[in-house]
Amino acid sequence: MSEKRTEISELGEFALIDHLNESIKIKNASTLKGIGDDAAVIDSGETVKVVTTDLLLEGVHFDLSYAPLHHVGFKAVAVNVSDVAAMNAIPKQITVSIALSNRFSVEAVDALYAGINAAAEHYGVDVIGGDTTASHSGLVISITAIGEAKKEQISYRSGAKVNDIVCVTGDLGAALVGLQILEREKQVFIANPDMKPQLENFTYVTGRQLKPDARMDIIHEMRDLEIVPSSMIDISDGLASELFHICKSSGVGVTIYEDKLPIDKQTFDTAVELGLDPITCVLNGGEDYELLFTIDQKDYEKLEKHPDIHFIGHVTNAEEGKYLVTKSGTTAQLKAQGWKHF
Amino acid sequence: MSEKRTEISELGEFALIDHLNESIKIKNASTLKGIGDDAAVIDSGETVKVVTTDLLLEGVHFDLSYAPLHHVGFKAVAVNVSDVAAMNAIPKQITVSIALSNRFSVEAVDALYAGINAAAEHYGVDVIGGDTTASHSGLVISITAIGEAKKEQISYRSGAKVNDIVCVTGDLGAALVGLQILEREKQVFIANPDMKPQLENFTYVTGRQLKPDARMDIIHEMRDLEIVPSSMIDISDGLASELFHICKSSGVGVTIYEDKLPIDKQTFDTAVELGLDPITCVLNGGEDYELLFTIDQKDYEKLEKHPDIHFIGHVTNAEEGKYLVTKSGTTAQLKAQGWKHF
């Protein structure tokens, strides 16, 4: 039709998404929040439903040469549950659509579904529908998750306030480092199929890449403690990138401290072995599926002793910018590279 | 892992889906209906939400050599809205995920989204989220639609009762005949690229294939007339196949009459030109996205004069079986071939 051809790469992925979203208008009163957070929020009487979806393609999001189908199924559910968690909601239902080529046997499909069902069991969600279809190329998985919360329990990206404390769960960088190890051993195997992959010293980091766990445990604990984070996001693209999202949505700045950033020993050692800077892995490694959130200072003492929540900094005025205070005490401007551009 | 390899083709697509569904257990009280109807139904206070999803792959579900991207986008929304309609619910929200290869320009993506947005406008739904990702092969579209209704308004496949009247909207077989024409002209074009496709006499049937319209008009009219169909399904796989679904879910039989089956003149003439039996096209042609439903006899006079609803038969006891009474008065057992095996 049009004479003009603009390459997607000229625009960039984020700009393309922004461009497409510009044309979207909200018409229904029940749509409380559309695009722009970890999940959409729709009115549901006393409660709200949150809705999130992910589309995963073989060769883009997972590599079956090292990812077992059981793990692929589990992870496909976990990444959606993580988005529901990031809204401070409880996941209840998922739909699962898959496209399969005839390369897959019934036993392979069973392994995939065993992982999906194990995750559904683990997170207490029901598989309520989906679509199963043929594919001429690889495996495609599309999952939509629906969660529930009271309206006042929802944590948007936009609620961070100056002086709030910045928290992260678990440890960071492991999934990226694990991916590098899996890719390295794959190349070794391709070069010499008689070589057995050396993975025994890397079980934590590879496990974090292959079978991440959404932090529903933290959501339930905070509910018990009657804490509603002022803002929250899950860490799928890297800590720095997610901090940028919260700062942009909330209209605030942030200062975080290098010595507070949580990193596992195996992640640190493996990063060094791979010639990567561990702190860069923590800041820009993706797919950890930990939670990044902010709390009001009054909630601090309720969480202070929590073994798996780390207080990494505080929220500032937007004009103060986004900074990392290094171990040596110098201050560096945060950059949101995102793990894809790593 | 397993030594055994069973081909999906050995099992068949429907058996595979049944096999996968066997492992699914429902845990949450808010899941009112899981797999097994046009959409799932989840509790939502005063109302219920219905949820349906479709995964569409280039080369499997659409062919960009003759389907304009605008139509592909529109149709992807319409087929999901049609599933919401088949539950007698009103669609409110959709999520849209797409995977794109670098073969697609920004202008091409814009055309696709223009179709998606036109359908969202047409059906009054909000695009509330989604995922945009890279693909190494063709275009993949995954849409999830969420609709709303009062609990007592939902029409399941399972509610047909003996002596109910069987109704279909619009006319049938056109989408299949349209597909045959598009495929024929594609082959002509491949054989001789200088030949211009001859489509001007086939605009109705090709339009039905390329840009079907979900029958929300009928749902709104029935709501105004206070009719709740005792059972309903949308015609995506062919009339006979959908009748089988209703009979199986409801535990009933059915008798339909050949002379009552609605077929457009262009569909009839084109089928004959293509050497196809028009009645076979009506019974087994898929993708018409019309509604098949049953009503109590007391509701008949409210719809009797409706220009676009056809009364094609009645519900019988299961033991009486599933029959077509031909124009010549003979009785033939219905077969559910489904259009894919056509």
Side-chain angles (χ1 to χ4, degrees):
Chain A
M1 235 91 73
S2 171
E3 303 276 312
K4 195 163 183 294
R5 181 182 165 97
T6 312
E7 300 302 328
I8 291 172
S9 54
E10 284 175 53
L11 207 58
E13 191 191 331
F14 285 119
L16 174 69
I17 294 171
D18 285 345
H19 167 75
L20 295 174
N21 291 349
E22 274 167 23
S23 59
I24 290 168
K25 285 165 282 178
I26 297 298
K27 296 169 284 284
N28 289 304
S30 58
T31 305
L32 302 179
K33 173 78 188 176
I35 288 164
D37 216 301
D38 291 83
V41 181
I42 61 182
D43 195 27
S44 176
E46 299 265 294
T47 60
V48 296
K49 305 276 187 204
V50 305
V51 184
T52 181
T53 190
D54 265 299
L55 179 60
L56 305 172
L57 280 78
E58 183 182 348
V60 178
H61 300 93
F62 54 90
D63 184 334
L64 293 178
S65 65
Y66 51 71
L69 279 162
H70 186 284
H71 289 6
V72 170
F74 192 98
K75 182 172 175 176
V77 176
V79 301
N80 279 284
V81 167
S82 183
D83 278 323
V84 172
M87 302 304 289
N88 199 31
I90 310 294
K92 296 287 183 179
Q93 286 93 12
I94 56 171
T95 62
V96 178
S97 295
I98 55 170
L100 294 161
S101 66
N102 57 13
R103 177 162 68 83
F104 293 88
S105 65
V106 173
E107 289 76 13
V109 181
D110 279 342
L112 177 71
Y113 266 79
I116 290 168
N117 290 333
E121 191 69 33
H122 179 59
Y123 297 116
V125 298
D126 295 330
V127 179
I128 60 166
D131 200 5
T132 307
T133 184
S135 161
H136 292 329
S137 48
L139 175 63
V140 180
I141 308 173
S142 176
I143 292 188
T144 299
I146 299 171
E148 207 177 74
K150 290 184 191 146
K151 206 174 290 187
E152 63 275 17
Q153 285 171 329
I154 295 290
S155 290
Y156 291 102
R157 296 178 181 179
S158 57
K161 291 178 301 295
V162 176
N163 295 325
D164 281 356
I165 297 166
V166 179
C167 314
V168 291
T169 61
D171 58 79
L172 300 176
L176 169 71
V177 169
L179 180 63
Q180 304 303 314
I181 289 293
L182 291 164
E183 288 286 348
R184 181 181 76 177
E185 295 304 312
K186 181 186 173 182
Q187 295 311 321
V188 169
F189 180 77
I190 288 171
N192 182 355
D194 293 331
M195 290 281 278
K196 228 180 120 35
Q198 300 293 314
L199 294 171
E200 53 276 18
N201 294 328
F202 308 106
T203 50
Y204 180 69
V205 293
T206 56
R208 293 276 289 172
Q209 167 60 225
L210 294 172
K211 203 183 172 190
D213 191 10
R215 298 309 303 261
M216 283 311 302
D217 55 333
I218 300 288
I219 299 302
H220 287 291
E221 285 174 42
M222 289 203 288
R223 206 157 274 217
D224 291 344
L225 295 167
E226 297 182 347
I227 296 172
V228 176
S230 53
S231 70
M232 186 152 53
I233 190 169
D234 76 327
I235 302 178
S236 53
D237 286 339
L239 175 63
S241 171
E242 314 304 356
L243 281 168
F244 270 65
H245 284 304
I246 283 186
C247 288
K248 191 179 175 191
S249 295
S250 298
V252 296
V254 73
T255 297
I256 61 168
Y257 297 86
E258 184 183 339
D259 64 350
K260 305 290 185 192
L261 298 179
I263 182 166
D264 180 81
K265 187 172 182 311
Q266 190 177 96
T267 307
F268 188 96
D269 292 347
T270 310
V272 171
E273 179 183 330
L274 290 165
L276 299 171
D277 172 32
I279 290 302
T280 306
C281 294
V282 166
L283 287 172
N284 298 314
E287 295 203 276
D288 284 316
Y289 299 104
E290 296 292 342
L291 293 171
L292 169 67
F293 58 96
T294 57
I295 55 168
D296 191 287
Q297 296 210 359
K298 74 171 165 44
D299 288 326
Y300 174 65
E301 67 178 30
K302 292 187 198 171
L303 292 179
E304 191 184 4
K305 300 250 159 59
H306 196 291
D308 213 22
I309 295 178
H310 310 279
F311 309 97
I312 64 167
H314 59 271
V315 178
T316 62
N317 278 308
E319 308 82 71
E320 294 180 51
K322 295 175 275 286
Y323 284 98
L324 171 74
V325 179
T326 66
K327 281 179 188 162
S328 61
T330 60
T331 298
Q333 211 153 359
L334 272 177
K335 289 192 196 71
Q337 297 181 263
W339 77 283
K340 276 168 191 164
H341 319 285
F342 189 74
Chain B
M1 235 90 74
S2 170
E3 303 275 313
K4 194 163 183 295
R5 181 182 165 96
T6 312
E7 299 303 329
I8 290 172
S9 55
E10 284 175 51
L11 207 60
E13 189 192 332
F14 285 119
L16 173 69
I17 294 170
D18 286 345
H19 167 73
L20 296 175
N21 291 349
E22 274 166 24
S23 59
I24 290 168
K25 284 165 283 178
I26 297 297
K27 294 169 285 287
N28 289 305
S30 58
T31 305
L32 302 179
K33 172 79 188 176
I35 288 164
D37 215 299
D38 291 83
V41 181
I42 62 183
D43 195 27
S44 176
E46 299 264 293
T47 61
V48 295
K49 305 276 188 204
V50 304
V51 183
T52 181
T53 190
D54 264 299
L55 179 60
L56 306 171
L57 280 78
E58 183 182 348
V60 178
H61 300 94
F62 54 90
D63 184 334
L64 292 179
S65 64
Y66 50 71
L69 279 162
H70 186 284
H71 288 6
V72 169
F74 191 99
K75 183 172 175 174
V77 176
V79 301
N80 279 285
V81 166
S82 183
D83 279 322
V84 171
M87 302 304 288
N88 199 33
I90 309 295
K92 296 287 184 181
Q93 285 93 12
I94 56 173
T95 63
V96 178
S97 295
I98 55 170
L100 294 161
S101 66
N102 56 14
R103 177 163 68 82
F104 292 88
S105 65
V106 173
E107 289 76 14
V109 181
D110 278 342
L112 176 71
Y113 266 79
I116 289 168
N117 290 334
E121 191 68 34
H122 180 59
Y123 297 116
V125 299
D126 294 330
V127 179
I128 59 166
D131 200 4
T132 307
T133 184
S135 161
H136 291 329
S137 50
L139 176 63
V140 178
I141 308 173
S142 177
I143 292 187
T144 298
I146 299 172
E148 205 177 74
K150 290 186 190 143
K151 206 174 289 186
E152 63 275 16
Q153 285 171 328
I154 295 291
S155 290
Y156 291 102
R157 295 179 181 178
S158 57
K161 290 177 304 294
V162 175
N163 295 326
D164 281 356
I165 297 166
V166 180
C167 312
V168 290
T169 60
D171 58 80
L172 300 175
L176 170 70
V177 168
L179 180 63
Q180 305 303 314
I181 289 293
L182 290 164
E183 288 285 350
R184 181 180 78 176
E185 296 303 312
K186 180 186 174 180
Q187 295 311 322
V188 168
F189 180 78
I190 289 170
N192 183 355
D194 293 332
M195 290 281 280
K196 228 180 118 36
Q198 300 292 313
L199 294 172
E200 53 276 16
N201 294 328
F202 307 106
T203 51
Y204 180 70
V205 293
T206 55
R208 293 277 289 173
Q209 169 58 225
L210 294 172
K211 203 183 171 188
D213 191 10
R215 298 309 302 261
M216 282 310 303
D217 56 332
I218 300 288
I219 299 301
H220 287 291
E221 287 174 40
M222 289 203 289
R223 206 157 273 216
D224 292 344
L225 294 167
E226 296 181 346
I227 296 173
V228 175
S230 52
S231 70
M232 185 150 56
I233 190 170
D234 76 324
I235 302 178
S236 52
D237 285 340
L239 175 63
S241 171
E242 313 304 356
L243 281 168
F244 270 65
H245 283 304
I246 283 187
C247 288
K248 191 180 175 191
S249 296
S250 299
V252 297
V254 72
T255 298
I256 61 168
Y257 297 87
E258 183 183 340
D259 64 349
K260 305 289 186 194
L261 298 178
I263 182 166
D264 179 82
K265 187 173 182 310
Q266 188 178 96
T267 307
F268 189 96
D269 292 347
T270 311
V272 171
E273 180 184 328
L274 291 165
L276 300 170
D277 173 31
I279 291 302
T280 306
C281 294
V282 166
L283 288 171
N284 299 314
E287 295 203 277
D288 284 317
Y289 299 103
E290 296 291 343
L291 294 171
L292 169 66
F293 58 96
T294 57
I295 55 168
D296 191 288
Q297 295 210 358
K298 75 172 165 44
D299 288 325
Y300 173 67
E301 66 179 32
K302 291 188 200 170
L303 293 178
E304 191 184 5
K305 299 250 158 61
H306 196 292
D308 214 23
I309 296 178
H310 310 279
F311 308 98
I312 64 167
H314 57 272
V315 178
T316 63
N317 278 308
E319 309 83 71
E320 293 180 52
K322 294 175 275 289
Y323 285 98
L324 171 73
V325 179
T326 65
K327 280 179 187 159
S328 61
T330 59
T331 298
Q333 212 152 358
L334 272 178
K335 289 190 197 74
Q337 298 181 263
W339 77 282
K340 277 168 192 164
H341 318 284
F342 189 74

